[in-house]
Amino acid sequence: MIEISNLRKYTTREGLTRLEADITFTDMAPPCAEKTLYFELDKKYSYMFAEDTYDAFVLVPLWLAMLHKQDLHIRGKISAKLYQNIKWYVQKIWCDFYEELAPVKLIVDGFAAPPKKRGKIIGTGISCGVDSLSTVYDHFIRETDPNYRINALFYFNCGIFGEFDDPKVQELTKLRNEPGKNVAKALGLPCYYVNSNLHAFRKLADMNKLNFISVYSCALSLGNAVSRYYVSSGTSYEEIKAYRDHYHNRDMSAFCESYLVPLIQTERTELIVDGCQYRRVDKLRNIADWDIARKYLNVCWRYTPDGSNCSMCVKCLRTLLPLEILGKLDDFAAVFDVEEYRKISFRYKIRCLQNYGEDPFETENVDFAREHNFPMPERHDCYVLNGQLIYDGD
C-alpha cells in the first residue's frame, strides 16, 4: 500500500513556504528514494496553499499506486468532488491510455469542507510557447467577463525540462522562466513561481505521462487562492479524434486531456482545458500580430546558452513554417534566427510531406500551406532514398 500522511505547512530557511506530506510504501519495495512530496512558493504568498486538504497530493501517488498495483490511502481529507471523479472516471481513462496501469482502491479519511468563499485568482501557466501565449491572448486580451478573465500568471517548476540534478536542466529552467516574467510585467499581471519535487517520481514513468499530472497538482495546491486555472492544450479536438492511436501510451495530454482535466477539479478550483478549439497553426495566426508574441515567443526545448530559440529543432521549425506561410517570418526576427531557418526550411518542408497523415503537426502545416496557396515541394518531384524523401532538385 502507498500512504500519504502528515500534511503540514512551514517556512524554509530560504524564505519559502512549503506545503508538504509524507509518502510511505508498505508491504512493497519503495520504487524511489523520496519520502515526501512538496510544493513551495515565496512566503509572502503562503495564504495560497490549501493546508486543510490533500487534494494536491492525490494524483501522482495515485498514478504510482496504479502502476504498482497497490491501494492508496490518504490519511486525511480530500475534495468529495475529486474523490468521486477519481473513483468513477479518472482511473478508467488512465487505464485506457496506459495498459501497465490497473484500478486500485482509493481510501480517504474524510472529505474537506467546501470553502466559505472561493479564491479570486483566475490563472494560467506562462511558458511563452504557442499554446501558452494563445491562452493568455484569448483570456486576458480578448476576454471581457471578469469571472473568466485571467488576472495572474504562474510558472510551475515541476521538472518539465528534465532531471533536476542535471546542471544544464537547472540553468535551462531558470532561463526559460525569464520570458514569462517579462510578459507578466508587460501585461501588468502578477507572476507566481511554484516549485515542486514531483519531478522526482517521473523517473518511474515517461515525461509525457507524468509531467501533466504534476502541473494539475500544482494548480490544486493553490486552492485557497485560485478559483479557475486554464490548462493550455497543444492538441485540437479534431487531432485528438484522428490521432488517438498515435498518442496512445505516449502523450497523455494529447490522448485524453480534453476530457480528463474537467474531472480534475475540486469545490475550490476548476481546471479548464483551453486550446483544443484551435489547430496549432490557427493559434499562431491569432497571435502573429501581437507585439508580446513577437518579443517573447519561446518554443524550443533545446539547451541554448541564453535560453533562446535554436531555430533548427523540430519544435522551432514547426512554428516557423506557419509564420512563413503567413508572411510573418521577419516579424519574429527578435526571437528566431530567420536566416538560419531559411537555410534549412526546404528540407523541413520535405519532411512535412514525408510525414503527412502520420505526424499531426506536420500534417497541419501541409494543410495550412495548401489553404494559403503557399508553394511546397510536390511529391512527384521527390524520391525515396534510404527511407528519406529527397527533393529531385537537391
Side-chain angles (χ1 to χ4, degrees):
M1 178 177 287
I2 298 176
E3 296 183 341
I4 308 298
S5 62
N6 194 22
L7 180 62
R8 67 265 189 191
K9 185 170 75 171
Y10 62 94
T11 301
T12 69
R13 294 179 181 178
E14 294 76 19
L16 301 173
T17 292
R18 178 174 288 190
L19 186 68
E20 186 175 62
D22 296 331
I23 181 168
T24 57
F25 304 94
T26 306
D27 298 327
M28 62 175 286
C32 60
E34 296 296 314
K35 296 182 178 180
T36 65
L37 304 95
Y38 69 77
F39 307 87
E40 61 184 17
L41 79 172
D42 192 293
K43 65 180 181 180
K44 293 185 296 186
Y45 311 117
S46 63
Y47 66 89
M48 291 185 176
F49 281 145
E51 60 185 307
D52 61 334
T53 173
Y54 281 78
D55 291 340
F57 297 90
V58 176
L59 297 178
V60 169
L62 177 66
W63 178 277
L64 295 177
M66 294 175 67
L67 183 64
H68 294 279
K69 285 69 176 179
Q70 298 288 327
D71 290 337
L72 174 62
H73 188 174
I74 305 295
R75 292 194 172 277
K77 298 178 179 180
I78 72 169
S79 157
K81 180 180 291 188
L82 182 62
Y83 173 81
Q84 289 292 330
N85 285 343
I86 287 173
K87 176 182 175 182
W88 293 108
Y89 315 117
V90 171
Q91 293 196 61
K92 171 59 177 173
I93 294 171
W94 283 359
C95 288
D96 286 347
F97 167 68
Y98 191 43
E99 290 90 344
E100 293 188 27
L101 302 182
V104 299
K105 187 176 182 180
L106 173 60
I107 306 164
V108 299
D109 288 356
F111 300 107
K116 295 179 180 179
K117 60 178 181 179
R118 296 179 66 185
K120 296 182 179 180
I121 290 181
I122 300 168
T124 193
I126 184 63
S127 69
C128 288
V130 173
D131 305 322
S132 168
L133 289 181
S134 176
T135 295
V136 175
Y137 184 73
D138 275 356
H139 298 287
F140 179 72
I141 301 297
R142 299 178 62 191
E143 183 60 73
T144 58
D145 188 335
N147 292 312
Y148 289 89
R149 188 171 187 248
I150 290 169
N151 55 30
L153 301 176
F154 291 88
Y155 190 92
F156 294 150
N157 185 21
C158 53
I160 194 168
F161 292 115
E163 302 302 335
F164 273 24
D165 53 7
D166 184 339
K168 282 192 173 182
V169 170
Q170 295 176 17
E171 180 64 19
L172 182 59
T173 301
K174 180 179 178 181
L175 290 170
R176 291 295 165 80
N177 187 36
E178 290 304 311
K181 291 180 179 178
N182 292 330
V183 169
K185 183 177 180 180
L187 297 178
L189 290 171
C191 186
Y192 303 102
Y193 192 93
V194 178
N195 292 315
S196 175
N197 73 333
L198 295 180
H199 67 278
F201 300 93
R202 202 194 67 196
K203 296 177 182 178
L204 308 175
D206 181 79
M207 174 176 129
N208 286 333
K209 297 183 179 73
L210 199 54
N211 260 5
F212 299 100
I213 304 174
S214 300
V215 170
Y216 312 150
S217 300
C218 286
L220 293 182
S221 75
L222 305 168
N224 282 354
V226 178
S227 61
R228 289 194 171 93
Y229 186 87
Y230 290 101
V231 175
S232 298
S233 178
T235 312
S236 70
Y237 291 123
E238 189 61 34
E239 287 167 346
I240 292 170
K241 291 188 293 183
Y243 293 93
R244 178 179 171 86
D245 292 340
H246 175 83
Y247 290 122
H248 177 251
N249 199 25
R250 295 175 57 186
D251 189 331
M252 183 191 299
S253 68
F255 180 84
C256 60
E257 194 170 52
S258 62
Y259 52 93
L260 171 66
V261 169
L263 299 169
I264 308 297
Q265 60 174 290
T266 70
E267 289 82 0
R268 307 169 190 229
T269 304
E270 176 187 13
L271 273 60
I272 302 173
V273 181
D274 181 70
C276 295
Q277 68 271 35
Y278 299 119
R279 297 176 300 175
R280 192 169 188 272
V281 291
D282 297 322
K283 294 177 185 177
L284 274 166
R285 178 168 51 194
N286 290 346
I287 65 174
D289 294 325
W290 189 25
D291 62 328
I292 294 293
R294 293 181 176 186
K295 291 179 182 178
Y296 301 115
L297 181 63
N298 192 300
V299 301
C300 183
W301 276 14
R302 278 187 180 177
Y303 175 81
T304 55
D306 59 355
S308 62
N309 296 301
C310 75
S311 306
M312 295 180 290
C313 70
V314 172
K315 285 201 72 178
C316 286
L317 293 173
R318 75 187 188 201
T319 303
L320 286 160
L321 178 53
L323 292 175
E324 181 185 5
I325 293 169
L326 291 168
K328 306 285 186 180
L329 195 59
D330 290 326
D331 295 331
F332 285 78
V335 290
F336 289 103
D337 186 339
V338 296
E339 293 309 316
E340 185 63 36
Y341 164 73
R342 288 189 171 104
K343 294 177 185 178
I344 60 177
S345 63
F346 202 83
R347 287 191 177 275
Y348 177 65
K349 292 167 188 172
I350 292 175
R351 173 183 170 134
C352 289
L353 291 171
Q354 183 182 20
N355 293 331
Y356 186 83
E358 298 181 5
D359 182 275
F361 296 111
E362 292 172 358
T363 297
E364 71 175 33
N365 277 347
V366 173
D367 291 339
F368 198 58
R370 290 170 177 168
E371 292 165 13
H372 288 79
N373 295 315
F374 181 84
M376 293 279 283
E378 295 294 335
R379 290 192 69 90
H380 63 259
D381 290 330
C382 305
Y383 63 93
V384 175
L385 178 64
N386 295 327
Q388 296 295 314
L389 198 65
I390 307 298
Y391 185 59
D392 196 35
D394 245 9

